[in-house]
Amino acid sequence: MNKIMSVNGATLRDSLISAANMVSENRSQLNEINVFPVPDGDTGANLSVTLGAAKRQLGELGDGCTVGAAAQCAAAATLRGSRGNSGAILALLFRGFAKGLTDCEEIDGVTLAEALGTRQ
């Protein structure tokens, strides 16, 4: 029997905070891949600042937060804290992700895929 795993708001919150930490720790490598729109070497720094804004706001959510609340918090924070073109694009991705998770308490893999736009 297969057990379907689900993700709650606290797990999503913690995952996004962890992702922000990883981007920050590896920003110099991300600066080297700088692909859009010109080779100015700041993609990693801009993504780090943008996700840092989300990290700060997500850190204020309690363990009882829903997936929808965590996604909306990240979307709003990345929009307000976006820096550069890469930050603005990332904020738009988070906005779409949050829209797909509106009113979700918890999610499974199918719901996650749908929110990421990988399922038609």
Side-chain angles (χ1 to χ4, degrees):
M1 179 184 302
N2 290 335
K3 182 177 179 182
I4 297 176
M5 299 292 292
S6 65
V7 172
N8 64 24
T11 300
L12 179 61
R13 175 203 63 202
D14 294 347
S15 297
L16 294 172
I17 289 171
S18 180
N21 290 335
M22 292 299 293
V23 167
S24 180
E25 290 170 14
N26 294 287
R27 77 175 149 239
S28 61
Q29 290 99 328
L30 292 168
N31 282 337
E32 292 175 16
I33 65 166
N34 197 51
V35 294
F36 182 83
V38 294
D40 52 7
D42 63 355
T43 297
N46 290 342
L47 290 174
S48 181
V49 167
T50 302
L51 286 171
K55 176 183 169 181
R56 285 186 297 280
Q57 290 295 301
L58 287 163
E60 295 178 11
L61 291 179
D63 286 343
C65 68
T66 66
V67 164
Q72 181 57 42
C73 177
T78 55
L79 179 61
R80 285 191 307 273
S82 68
R83 181 167 139 192
N85 290 318
S86 53
I89 292 166
L90 183 61
L92 290 172
L93 292 171
F94 270 99
R95 182 178 74 174
F97 182 62
K99 185 177 179 182
L101 297 177
T102 301
D103 299 326
C104 289
E105 296 282 326
E106 292 188 352
I107 57 172
D108 59 13
V110 172
T111 306
L112 176 63
E114 289 171 347
L116 293 170
T118 59
R119 186 152 190 238
Q120 299 293 328

